[in-house]
Amino acid sequence: MTRVAVATSFGGPEVVEIVDRALPKPAAGQVLVEVKAIGVNPIDYKLYSGAFGSDESTLPLPLGSEAAGVVVAVGNAAEGPGGPISVGDEVIVSGAKGAYAEKVLVPADAVLPKPASLDWNVAAGLLVVAGTAYDTLETVAVSTGDTVLVHGGAGGVGSIVVQLAKARGATVIATARAENHDALQKYGAVPIEYGEGLLDRVRAVAPDGIDAAIDTVGTDEAVDVSLELLTNKARLVTIAAFERAANEGFPSVGGGNPESAERRKKAALSLVRQAGEGDYEVVVAKTFPLADVATAHSELKRDHPRGKFVLIP
């Protein structure tokens, strides 16, 4: 048996319950992982909010897609992106269904080796944000010499966009609240506040213009300012303003896009290795017991400390 968090109906965080579930032994190509930490992402509560539909046949809805833990059982031919998987391996689970659990049974191709240098909390919260950040940078082809505007540069995805863009040789301008400017400067970005007058503030720090813009917040302000500054709207990408992207002809990533999923999957091993080598950091803002998942989701919807939320089984 294992305790798991599920949404029993559609609505707010109050619909999430902890239930007991029986787990079968791993079949061929499957791996059973004892979970040490679980990454929390906005998509986790959006799925039961009704934002993507409310098909009651999907209930109770398993929650969570990423975690980190120790392999406790393997089926035959259990081989992941990093090679054969054995009992006792410390691993990162990515792209799973129902990762909000004490134990999770997953396909072997969802399991990657965890670098010893990463603690459990960081490892659990790594790949959704890093994969999304990488996806945006690839989509708008950020490279040496580019000046890039990152909206929401202190957020989970945005902070990694900033770090990876700097590593590519780009100049980065990042919007954030004033209390997060020091952190962005540490990453090598030029921080500016969002809000009224943003267009003029960007022009003041980038008098020669910008080459690309990455929107991680989805506000009209972020899209409008980016479109005003760019000469080529194909170099604006959003992870949130899907309707505007579709209507106005600029790219978006995520949201069930199969090209995004494939790009992220191919990059996963490299992104994990880079994190393990300290090439970029994932900040953990707060941890919660698994039983407090509703509280975690409620707080994630509001302004909160910079970084990822993590659940501890």
Side-chain angles (χ1 to χ4, degrees):
M1 300 291 287
T2 183
R3 293 194 312 151
V4 301
V6 297
T8 56
S9 60
F10 292 94
E14 72 280 354
V15 306
V16 179
E17 296 182 9
I18 305 296
V19 299
D20 290 325
R21 284 267 174 89
L23 282 175
K25 292 181 179 180
Q30 290 185 321
V31 178
L32 182 64
V33 178
E34 182 179 311
V35 175
K36 300 293 186 182
I38 303 156
V40 179
N41 298 286
I43 187 65
D44 299 343
Y45 61 73
K46 290 179 181 178
L47 287 173
Y48 64 76
S49 72
F52 303 105
S54 53
D55 181 357
E56 294 195 355
S57 69
T58 63
L59 299 173
L61 191 66
L63 303 176
S65 64
E66 62 176 351
V70 178
V71 175
V72 292
V74 296
N76 292 331
E79 185 164 346
I85 302 167
S86 303
V87 171
D89 286 352
E90 295 186 350
V91 297
I92 293 172
V93 175
S94 178
K97 290 185 178 180
Y100 283 18
E102 293 175 326
K103 293 180 181 178
V104 62
L105 183 65
V106 294
D109 66 1
V111 174
L112 299 94
K114 182 186 82 69
S117 57
L118 295 181
D119 69 30
W120 292 114
N121 294 346
V122 169
L126 169 65
L127 274 174
V128 168
V129 288
T132 304
Y134 172 84
D135 198 0
T136 65
L137 292 164
E138 287 291 292
T139 299
V140 294
V142 171
S143 62
T144 300
D146 282 341
T147 297
V148 183
L149 174 61
V150 180
H151 297 279
V157 174
S159 62
I160 300 179
V161 171
V162 169
Q163 294 174 76
L164 296 182
K166 288 296 296 182
R168 291 181 179 215
T171 297
V172 179
I173 302 162
T175 71
R177 296 196 302 269
E179 58 263 36
N180 292 320
H181 285 191
D182 286 348
L184 289 172
Q185 287 177 325
K186 184 185 77 170
Y187 295 148
V190 178
I192 55 175
E193 287 200 64
Y194 50 75
E196 186 176 353
L198 176 61
L199 180 60
D200 291 337
R201 289 192 292 278
V202 177
R203 283 177 167 155
V205 298
D208 295 328
I210 65 169
D211 302 294
I214 296 173
D215 165 38
T216 73
V217 293
T219 61
D220 285 336
E221 174 190 69
V223 174
D224 291 342
V225 167
S226 299
L227 290 174
E228 179 70 23
L229 291 166
L230 289 168
T231 58
N232 179 6
K233 65 182 177 182
R235 297 205 73 190
L236 163 63
V237 62
T238 183
I239 70 170
F242 298 114
E243 185 173 350
R244 290 202 63 178
N247 291 339
E248 298 176 52
F250 59 88
S252 63
V253 299
N257 182 328
E259 292 181 4
S260 283
E262 185 63 22
R263 209 161 25 233
R264 298 176 195 199
K265 188 172 183 178
K266 286 182 178 178
L269 269 178
S270 176
L271 289 167
V272 168
R273 187 195 71 249
Q274 288 175 277
E277 292 174 353
D279 292 345
Y280 66 92
E281 69 170 357
V282 177
V283 175
V284 174
K286 197 170 182 180
T287 62
F288 301 80
L290 178 60
D292 291 344
V293 56
T295 301
H297 285 187
S298 295
E299 291 193 21
L300 192 61
K301 291 181 178 183
R302 304 191 294 267
D303 285 343
H304 56 80
R306 185 177 68 90
K308 289 275 294 195
F309 283 9
V310 171
L311 301 173
I312 308 298

